[in-house]
């Protein structure tokens, strides 16, 4: 970690101690979790040999299923918003203790902004506030527990940040559309625009929504509202009908269990960090013993280790997907023929689509899909299609470890190569071509090999460890991408078909 000048550390320490002085007051707000439940979680954690934080978090995810069954039976309207808020508050108090107060403070300040500020101002001020609050959490975590993996409020704050960011623009877009102002971005996001602001209970139900609170995905307010008022069930003829949600609930739940098993197995067999002390000891893939192994053996170990790390995310996202679907919050509605459109609303990852993606663009679209939508709708199209803004915002949203920025600044190199290949090679190999399957397989291999190399800093976090990891693999992903860029750049672009352009 970079050394911070002593005068600055003194100021930071005093500021942190001042914030900590309010902890006893915040602790008094933890009133929804009985002491006996906390004690039982401690007993369970000791019995299975895991820490209390992890057991609490996993239990919090799983308990969303019985809570979702209850939610599905609650009458539409304010009762659902109240239940969503109270159960979300319970989950946060159960998993985070007094740190749950950050979610409440952020939500109340944000709502005050929604009530007071003009929408043109709101769409800037509220996202800035949300990002700054989250930033303070990230910086605090890095300062007091550098490279630590302890559970704190920043994960939930990241989900909340997206929600606050989105609703600020939803209200702004709603005003533009209501006034008939021609705005390209507002028109593209018209489905999520809000003409009227929600009341406080509706807003808290949204920001504290229990089924996507801990792991996401962050849903648009209009999507959450449709599940609460029942309009998601409305058919084209005006009648209301609930779809069968059994498969949509059980499938992602089972997938989450498989992912958890894979995480435990792969993490044990192919560790990237030191299992005994990942925070302080040299990562397993950078030890002298490991570096003596052949290149391919080391890369295979890293590849499998990263696959294991991803299972942790698959578990959380698939579990949340089922928890959303059990009370129909993930339902897409009915089409004009009375058929169910699907359950894509709460699907945050396409596991096969990500692992076998033939290009970086599809890989990105299939990973953390709702975050990708957030970045597309409220960063990409609002900045005139700036990839730099998207990758910078994504890195900023994740935190400030050097590894994040090394990774996010590396990916655009591969992305540019993808775009050049699509422009200069893909036209010669249409889907009807017999060579097309081989071309796709080559793209999948090149993409997964390159990205699994580039993503190492995202796990290692520390700048020195990240560079050492790249160095241990001879920077092959960067070198290969630069060579590919040079070769693709000199290739002539296919001539346009004059008949088609005539």
């Amino acid at each position: 970690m970079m050394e911070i000048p002593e005068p600055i550390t003194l100021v930071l320490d005093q500021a942190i101690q001042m914030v900590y002085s309010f902890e006893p007051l915040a602790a008094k707000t933890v009133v929804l979790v009985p002491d006996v439940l906390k004690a039982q979680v401690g007993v369970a954690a000791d019995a299975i040999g895991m820490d209390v934080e992890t057991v609490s978090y996993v239990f919090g995810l799983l308990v969303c299923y019985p809570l979702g069954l209850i939610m599905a039976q609650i009458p539409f309207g304010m009762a659902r918003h109240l239940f969503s808020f109270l159960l979300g508050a319970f989950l946060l108090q159960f998993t985070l203790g007094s740190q749950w107060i950050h979610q409440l403070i952020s939500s109340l300040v944000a709502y005050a902004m929604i009530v007071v500020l003009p929408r043109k101002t709101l769409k800037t001020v509220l996202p800035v506030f949300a990002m700054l609050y989250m930033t303070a959490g990230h910086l605090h975590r890095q300062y007091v527990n550098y490279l630590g993996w302890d559970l704190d409020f920043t994960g939930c704050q990241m989900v909340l940040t997206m929600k606050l960011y989105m609703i600020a623009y939803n209200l702004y877009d709603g005003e533009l559309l209501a006034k008939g102002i021609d705005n390209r971005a507002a028109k593209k996001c018209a489905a999520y625009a809000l003409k009227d602001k929600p009341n406080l209970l509706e807003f808290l139900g949204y920001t504290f929504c229990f089924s996507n609170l801990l792991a996401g995905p962050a849903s648009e307010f209009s999507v959450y509202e449709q599940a609460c008022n029942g309009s998601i069930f409305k058919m084209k003829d005006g009648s209301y009908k609930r779809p069968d949600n059994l498969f949509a609930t059980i499938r992602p739940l089972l997938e989450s269990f498989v992912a958890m098993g894979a995480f435990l197995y792969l993490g044990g067999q192919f560790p990237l960090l030191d299992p005994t002390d990942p925070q302080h000891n040299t990562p397993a893939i950078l030890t002298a013993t490991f570096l003596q192994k052949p290149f391919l053996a080391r890369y295979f170990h890293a590849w499998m280790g990263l696959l294991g790390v991803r299972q942790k995310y698959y578990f959380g996202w698939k579990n949340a997907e089922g928890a959303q679907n059990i009370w129909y919050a993930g339902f897409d509605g009915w089409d004009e023929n009375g058929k169910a459109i699907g359950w894509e609303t709460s699907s945050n990852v396409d596991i096969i689509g990500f692992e076998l993606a033939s290009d970086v663009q599809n890989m990105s679209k299939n990973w953390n899909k709702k975050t990708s939508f957030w970045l597309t709708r409220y960063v990409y199209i609002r900045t005139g299609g700036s990839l730099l803004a998207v990758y910078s915002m994504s890195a900023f949203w994740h935190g400030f470890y050097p590894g994040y920025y090394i990774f996010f600044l590396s990916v655009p190199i591969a992305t540019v190569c993808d775009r050049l290949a699509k422009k200069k090679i893909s036209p010669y190999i249409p889907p009807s071509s017999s060579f097309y399957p081989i071309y796709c397989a080559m793209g999948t291999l090149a993409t997964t090999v390159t990205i699994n190399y580039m993503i190492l800093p995202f796990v290692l976090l520390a700048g020195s460890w990240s560079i050492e990891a790249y160095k241990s693999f001879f920077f092959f992903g960067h070198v290969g991408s630069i060579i590919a860029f040079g070769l693709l750049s000199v290739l002539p672009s296919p001539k346009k078909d004059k008949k088609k352009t005539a």
Side-chain angles (χ1 to χ4, degrees):
M1 181 178 179
M2 181 180 65
E3 290 294 330
I4 301 175
E6 186 176 351
I8 297 179
T9 61
L10 289 174
V11 174
L12 291 175
D13 290 341
Q14 290 176 1
I16 290 172
Q17 288 305 316
M18 184 189 70
V19 174
Y20 284 180
S21 68
F22 293 100
E23 200 279 333
L25 186 62
K28 293 181 180 179
T29 66
V30 183
V31 296
L32 299 177
V33 183
D35 292 336
V36 64
L37 181 57
K38 298 178 185 177
Q40 289 303 312
V41 172
V43 171
D46 290 338
I48 60 179
M50 298 179 69
D51 60 274
V52 174
E53 290 179 342
T54 300
V55 173
S56 298
Y57 186 78
V58 172
F59 178 80
L61 288 172
L62 295 176
V63 80
C64 288
Y65 283 80
L67 298 181
L69 284 174
I70 298 173
M71 184 69 154
Q73 305 306 314
I74 293 177
F76 298 126
M78 287 302 156
R80 287 200 168 199
H81 295 297
L82 178 62
F83 186 84
S84 180
F85 166 60
L86 291 178
L87 269 297
F90 165 79
L91 285 178
L92 281 182
Q93 292 183 13
F94 177 73
T95 56
L96 300 178
S98 61
Q99 291 190 51
W100 88 283
I101 201 70
H102 292 287
Q103 187 97 358
L104 182 62
I105 292 173
S106 301
S107 296
L108 292 178
V109 172
Y111 190 74
M113 290 181 178
I114 289 174
V115 172
V116 173
L117 296 177
R119 295 186 181 183
K120 184 177 181 179
T121 305
L122 179 71
K123 59 98 174 176
T124 300
V125 174
L126 181 49
V128 168
F129 162 74
M131 293 296 292
L132 287 177
Y133 201 108
M134 180 191 66
T135 295
H138 282 317
L139 291 176
H140 167 264
R141 181 186 178 99
Q142 281 186 229
Y143 183 72
V144 303
N145 192 28
Y146 190 70
L147 299 181
W149 293 88
D150 295 341
L151 181 68
D152 72 352
F153 76 95
T154 53
C156 297
Q157 196 72 25
M158 292 168 70
V159 178
L160 177 62
T161 296
M162 286 192 287
K163 289 184 178 181
L164 299 182
Y165 207 111
M166 291 189 293
I167 199 170
Y169 274 99
N170 296 155
L171 290 166
Y172 175 65
D173 291 345
E175 182 176 75
L176 293 181
L177 295 173
K179 292 181 177 179
I181 298 175
D182 187 20
N183 184 281
R184 178 172 169 269
K187 289 180 178 178
K188 282 194 171 186
C189 300
Y192 312 105
L194 301 174
K195 182 179 180 181
D196 301 313
K197 65 178 180 293
N199 64 42
L200 179 58
L201 184 56
E202 292 170 335
F203 182 75
L204 290 177
Y206 169 61
T207 59
F208 277 80
C209 182
F210 67 94
S211 53
N212 62 20
L213 183 67
L214 298 179
S219 60
E220 300 273 5
F221 178 83
S222 59
V223 174
Y224 162 80
E225 174 66 14
Q226 288 172 359
C228 286
N229 63 23
S231 60
I232 191 65
F233 303 128
K234 189 174 182 178
M235 304 184 74
K236 298 301 179 182
D237 61 3
S239 62
Y240 288 78
K241 178 184 176 182
R242 294 195 184 200
D244 179 4
N245 66 341
L246 180 62
F247 181 73
T249 299
I250 297 299
R251 177 185 53 77
L253 177 61
L254 294 178
E255 287 176 338
S256 75
F257 289 151
V258 172
M260 176 55 74
F263 168 69
L264 294 174
Y265 174 76
L266 292 173
Q269 294 295 316
F270 304 97
L272 300 176
L273 300 171
D274 187 328
T276 61
D277 189 352
Q279 185 175 3
H280 301 103
N281 292 347
T282 300
I285 60 171
L286 295 180
T287 60
T289 302
F290 184 83
L291 292 176
Q292 291 176 356
K293 295 181 179 181
F295 178 91
L296 291 180
R298 288 188 290 110
Y299 184 76
F300 179 77
H301 181 108
W303 192 347
M304 290 295 101
L306 288 168
L307 178 61
V309 170
R310 289 196 291 273
Q311 302 306 314
K312 177 174 62 176
Y313 295 95
Y314 295 157
F315 167 74
W317 289 336
K318 284 299 178 180
N319 190 280
E321 180 182 341
Q324 286 272 94
N325 292 346
I326 201 170
W327 68 282
Y328 304 96
F331 182 51
D332 298 330
W334 304 99
D335 65 15
E336 295 182 354
N337 299 316
K339 294 183 179 179
I341 298 173
W343 297 85
E344 181 61 26
T345 295
S346 293
S347 174
N348 205 29
V349 64
D350 179 345
I351 298 175
I352 301 300
F354 174 84
E355 298 293 346
L356 299 181
S358 59
D359 56 68
V360 178
Q361 183 181 27
N362 280 319
M363 182 174 273
S364 299
K365 286 182 177 180
N366 290 320
W367 172 267
N368 204 350
K369 292 191 286 185
K370 297 306 176 283
T371 298
S372 179
F373 290 162
W374 166 60
L375 291 170
T376 300
R377 294 168 187 162
Y378 305 107
V379 179
Y380 185 76
I381 67 174
R382 313 282 171 162
T383 58
S386 171
L387 276 178
L388 178 61
V390 170
Y391 285 119
S392 298
M393 177 63 79
S394 185
F396 194 74
W397 179 72
H398 281 90
F400 299 95
Y401 283 114
Y404 294 146
Y405 293 85
I406 292 172
F407 166 67
F408 283 112
L409 291 176
S410 297
V411 172
I413 304 173
T415 303
V416 170
C417 291
D418 268 349
R419 290 183 172 183
L420 283 174
K422 288 178 181 178
K423 178 182 178 181
K424 297 190 174 185
I425 298 179
S426 296
Y428 293 111
I429 311 174
S432 58
S433 170
S434 59
F435 188 69
Y436 185 74
I438 299 176
Y439 177 63
C440 289
M442 292 172 61
T444 296
L445 181 62
T447 298
T448 191
V449 168
T450 302
I451 296 303
N452 274 286
Y453 151 84
M454 288 183 171
I455 206 172
L456 280 169
F458 197 90
V459 178
L460 299 177
L461 300 181
S464 59
W465 288 352
S466 300
I467 298 302
E468 284 299 315
Y470 280 163
K471 183 179 178 181
S472 72
F473 291 113
F474 310 109
F475 296 95
F476 81 85
H478 291 84
V479 173
S481 295
I482 292 172
I483 293 174
F485 174 77
L487 293 175
L488 290 169
S489 295
V490 299
L491 284 179
S493 298
K495 295 180 178 180
K496 294 183 179 180
D497 191 333
K498 294 182 178 180
K499 293 182 180 180
K500 291 183 179 180
T501 57

